[in-house]
Amino acid sequence: MKDKRLPEIAWLLVIAVLVALGGDTVLRFLGANRALGTILLGIAILGTVVMIRRAYDPASPTVRVDVTKAVAYCAAAVMALVTVDWHPHWAVRACLTAAEVAIVFEIFVIVSSQRAGSAQR
């Protein structure tokens, strides 16, 4: 049986590699164009806040995982904004690490939900 979520995992791995290889360049570009970077990252933060609000459904059995995943992406967006606007020496690596953690957490959630689904069958 072919797994339907395997392409999603593959694309998330591609995104993780691209963030690791090119994230620094993107942050430098946004830092050089501070107004554009601030606007884009402000929109990203607002989007992740909406993502957190939508993920919080007390009736859902996966509410903790969904909210944690959304908060991880929000933390990455906030760290990117800190990097672009204030340029502290630690922020670039912290931002890239937060983004990588969010992506890897999402992959683990997908894999664990697949295993839980196959164990119930």
Side-chain angles (χ1 to χ4, degrees), residues 57-76:
D57 178 15
S60 172
T62 61
V63 65
R64 284 178 153 178
V65 171
D66 296 338
V67 170
T68 303
K69 184 172 49 171
V71 169
Y73 282 113
C74 187

Side-chain angles (χ1 to χ4, degrees), residues 5 62 65 106-121:
R5 305 282 313 256
T62 61
V65 171
E106 181 142 7
I107 291 170
F108 282 144
V109 168
I110 293 168
V111 170
S112 67
S113 68
Q114 287 175 348
R115 287 187 181 158
S118 65
Q120 290 178 351
R121 290 182 194 163

Side-chain angles (χ1 to χ4, degrees), residues 35-72:
L36 173 67
T38 302
I39 291 168
L40 290 176
L41 292 169
I43 292 168
I45 291 169
L46 288 175
T48 57
V49 169
V50 170
M51 187 174 156
I52 293 169
R53 289 182 50 98
R54 287 187 179 171
Y56 182 71
D57 178 15
S60 172
T62 61
V63 65
R64 284 178 153 178
V65 171
D66 296 338
V67 170
T68 303
K69 184 172 49 171
V71 169

Side-chain angles (χ1 to χ4, degrees), residues 21-39:
L21 296 177
D24 194 16
T25 305
V26 171
L27 288 173
R28 273 195 240 130
F29 170 76
L30 292 175
N33 301 300
R34 186 180 277 178
L36 173 67
T38 302
I39 291 168

Side-chain angles (χ1 to χ4, degrees), residues 96-110:
L96 296 178
T97 302
E100 293 289 342
V101 165
I103 294 167
V104 169
F105 184 73
E106 181 142 7
I107 291 170
F108 282 144
V109 168
I110 293 168

